[in-house]
Amino acid sequence: MSLWADILRWLHVIGATVLFGTGAGIAFFMLMAQRTGRPDVVAHVAGTVVIADAIFTATAVVAQPITGALLAREMGWPLSQGWIVLSLLLYAVAGAFWLPVVWIQMRIRDLARKAVREQAPLPDEEKHLFRIWFACGFPAFGAVLAILWLMATRPELGF
């Protein structure tokens, strides 16, 4: 394997690690903040989560298909291989659930900040949005886990 392939593989693994780790960390901290019921805690954590998603998750989301396509080309793997096709489909599924979550996180942050300013409890809208946010995490995170398995095992798939 060439040095270029090694670099691409390393970048691709780093990107996958960032997606997995940031996703798990964000989910944990948002859940823990929500459980406090405290608008100040939710506002702070949601604000931090929005920043982390913009810096880490969004960067990895852009880098993954680029490094993946370049690595596949370098390794001689056609993009039509079953495990690659399935990985790309799962990537689209994860993205379809992640994009609304980004907006929901910003809305949760804003609603919690408003509650802090008004010295009020978290509104029902915030709680409803959190339940949607939480539910979206399961298919997105499941898709990422499946992609990691496909990348690690590269199984022969019959399509």
Side-chain angles (χ1 to χ4, degrees):
M1 186 168 18
S2 70
L3 176 61
W4 176 237
D6 286 339
I7 291 169
L8 288 170
R9 186 184 306 253
W10 181 77
L11 289 172
H12 199 65
V13 168
I14 293 296
T17 304
V18 167
L19 283 176
F20 179 78
T22 305
I26 282 172
F28 176 78
F29 289 112
M30 283 287 283
L31 177 61
M32 293 296 104
Q34 189 69 28
R35 289 186 54 181
T36 70
R38 292 179 45 192
D40 59 326
V41 173
V42 172
H44 176 74
V45 170
T48 303
V49 160
V50 168
I51 293 167
D53 250 354
I55 294 170
F56 299 109
T57 310
T59 301
V61 163
V62 171
Q64 283 307 96
I66 295 168
T67 59
L70 292 172
L71 180 60
R73 187 182 74 195
E74 185 70 20
M75 299 301 291
W77 299 328
L79 294 179
S80 60
Q81 275 191 315
W83 67 271
I84 294 176
V85 171
L86 186 53
S87 294
L88 291 170
L89 290 172
L90 288 166
Y91 198 72
V93 167
F97 284 95
W98 177 67
L99 287 174
V101 158
V102 171
W103 176 84
I104 291 170
Q105 289 168 176
M106 290 187 282
R107 185 73 182 131
I108 287 172
R109 175 201 61 198
D110 295 345
L111 288 167
R113 285 178 177 172
K114 182 178 179 197
V116 169
R117 280 192 311 275
E118 296 174 358
Q119 296 182 334
L122 292 167
D124 289 341
E125 180 187 357
E126 187 277 341
K127 295 171 187 170
H128 175 72
L129 286 170
F130 179 78
R131 286 191 294 275
I132 294 169
W133 181 92
F134 190 76
C136 286
F138 286 99
F141 202 66
V144 170
L145 287 174
I147 292 166
L148 290 171
W149 180 81
L150 288 166
M151 295 291 148
T153 63
R154 297 188 307 273
E156 284 292 326
L157 301 175
F159 57 89

